[in-house]
Amino acid sequence: MSIRAIKRITGGAVQYDGAGVKLVRVIGRDDTEQFDPFLLLDAFDADNPADYLKGFPWHPHRGIETVTYLIEGEIEHGDSLGNTGTIYGGGCQWMTAGSGIIHQEMPQSSPLMLGTQLWVNLPKKDKMTHPAYRDITADQVPLVKEKGVEVRVVSGSYKGTDGPVFGDYVKTLYLDVKLEPNVEFVLARPREETLFIYIVRGSIHSDGQQVPYHRAVLFTSADELHIRAGSDGARIFLYSALPLKEPIAWAGPIVMNSREELSVAREELSKGTFIKHS
Ligand code: MN
């Protein structure tokens, strides 16, 4: 039985994206090799609406899935085909961009906006699949309670409790884990899976290190994850999935396998033929 060690710690730095949204870019385009199949993680933690109200106006996506999960806050979503929805605290939108969508994501004013957007890469064979939305409400996310531990299963399965989705293209375990102070959390996953956590609140200890909030921790391949909450407890998001090991060509919100595919996307956007499926 081997225990996962810390491979890398990322995050911490605040930056701006969209029309001027303050966020922590936890992982991004320079991290794809290590975090495969995860491409990007943006974290929101803002109690001043001015930090996010400008939102993410109209932009395209192709070749990826975006998974937006909020502990608190509200984000309105709309696409160019008239699909609309709102993500509320405790809820998740699992959006498959596939062949292409053009959408906007506009956070609404609330006392606290706390959550993340994760980009999951699509396998080469599924890059141009039909776009799809799965709107998961808070009451659809099961809560598993253990001594000093609360686990919300956003995706995948935890100790026999199934989440509302599993990931249609990349089977993804997505857990929201709340730990009381100094409580240990142990999780066995296939060692081939890329496993990382994002620390939303508090701090954790693992592999002889203490890591504060607003950081992600990527772990090495091994049988079990062992983490312990710091003296203030911890709230973490945990992500685990098998890597795709395919070439990545990345241009802003479009992630394909080759530069040619990026050129095609760019040309289609300028010609107005980007949207393939309605
Ligand atoms: Mn988007």
Side-chain angles (χ1 to χ4, degrees):
M1 181 64 63
S2 57
I3 295 173
R4 289 180 184 259
I6 291 180
K7 187 174 185 178
R8 207 175 137 202
I9 298 169
T10 72
V14 169
Q15 63 181 80
Y16 292 83
D17 202 358
V21 177
K22 191 177 170 187
L23 51 80
V24 178
R25 173 77 30 96
V26 184
I27 67 172
R29 57 186 307 155
D30 297 329
D31 309 309
T32 50
E33 205 166 307
Q34 289 186 314
F35 284 81
D36 180 20
F38 305 111
L39 295 169
L40 177 144
L41 184 72
D42 280 344
F44 315 109
D45 185 353
D47 55 12
N48 180 2
D51 286 339
Y52 55 77
L53 280 179
K54 288 175 186 162
F56 303 91
W58 297 106
H59 59 278
H61 285 291
R62 175 179 284 178
I64 62 168
E65 297 187 282
T66 68
V67 183
T68 309
Y69 174 61
L70 295 178
I71 293 175
E72 301 274 356
E74 190 178 326
I75 300 178
E76 280 186 7
H77 172 269
D79 77 7
S80 59
L81 297 172
N83 297 300
T84 58
T86 304
I87 310 162
Y88 297 101
C92 175
Q93 183 196 58
W94 198 295
M95 191 272 288
T96 305
S99 59
I101 59 114
I102 296 175
H103 77 164
Q104 58 175 347
E105 299 151 288
M106 304 305 284
Q108 304 298 300
S109 187
S110 65
L112 177 66
M113 184 159 99
L114 184 63
T116 58
Q117 183 171 90
L118 175 74
W119 291 12
V120 183
N121 202 2
L122 280 170
K124 187 174 166 59
K125 65 177 175 49
D126 299 316
K127 286 271 184 201
M128 295 298 281
T129 192
H130 269 72
Y133 300 95
R134 285 162 218 79
D135 287 310
I136 301 158
T137 52
D139 60 309
Q140 293 175 307
V141 178
L143 172 61
V144 180
K145 284 189 177 181
E146 298 161 350
K147 194 174 160 49
V149 183
E150 282 185 5
V151 178
R152 288 171 176 80
V153 186
V154 180
S155 169
S157 187
Y158 175 74
K159 293 188 180 173
T161 298
D162 288 348
V165 294
F166 289 85
D168 289 346
Y169 302 100
V170 171
K171 298 288 168 225
T172 304
L173 179 71
Y174 189 153
L175 303 178
D176 169 3
V177 183
K178 208 169 165 180
L179 299 171
E180 299 282 312
N182 307 309
V183 166
E184 192 177 38
F185 179 74
V186 174
L187 184 73
R189 293 299 296 175
R191 52 187 310 147
E192 300 78 19
E193 286 191 359
T194 301
L195 188 157
F196 79 99
I197 63 167
Y198 171 67
I199 305 162
V200 181
R201 286 282 184 266
S203 63
I204 64 104
H205 297 265
S206 187
D207 191 21
Q209 293 188 63
Q210 178 169 16
V211 188
Y213 67 98
H214 287 176
R215 266 73 169 182
V217 184
L218 175 68
F219 292 91
T220 59
S221 295
D223 301 309
E224 285 188 349
L225 170 75
H226 286 227
I227 58 175
R228 185 167 53 79
S231 54
D232 294 333
R235 181 102 181 231
I236 63 163
F237 295 165
L238 182 150
Y239 310 100
S240 192
L242 287 172
L244 294 173
K245 297 177 180 169
E246 293 176 344
I248 290 172
W250 185 329
I254 296 169
V255 185
M256 302 301 289
N257 301 109
S258 70
R259 296 169 71 96
E260 291 69 33
E261 290 167 313
L262 294 181
S263 304
V264 169
R266 207 172 297 124
E267 202 176 306
E268 289 176 350
L269 277 168
S270 66
K271 283 188 189 157
T273 57
F274 182 75
I275 300 294
K276 303 299 178 195
H277 301 99
S278 54

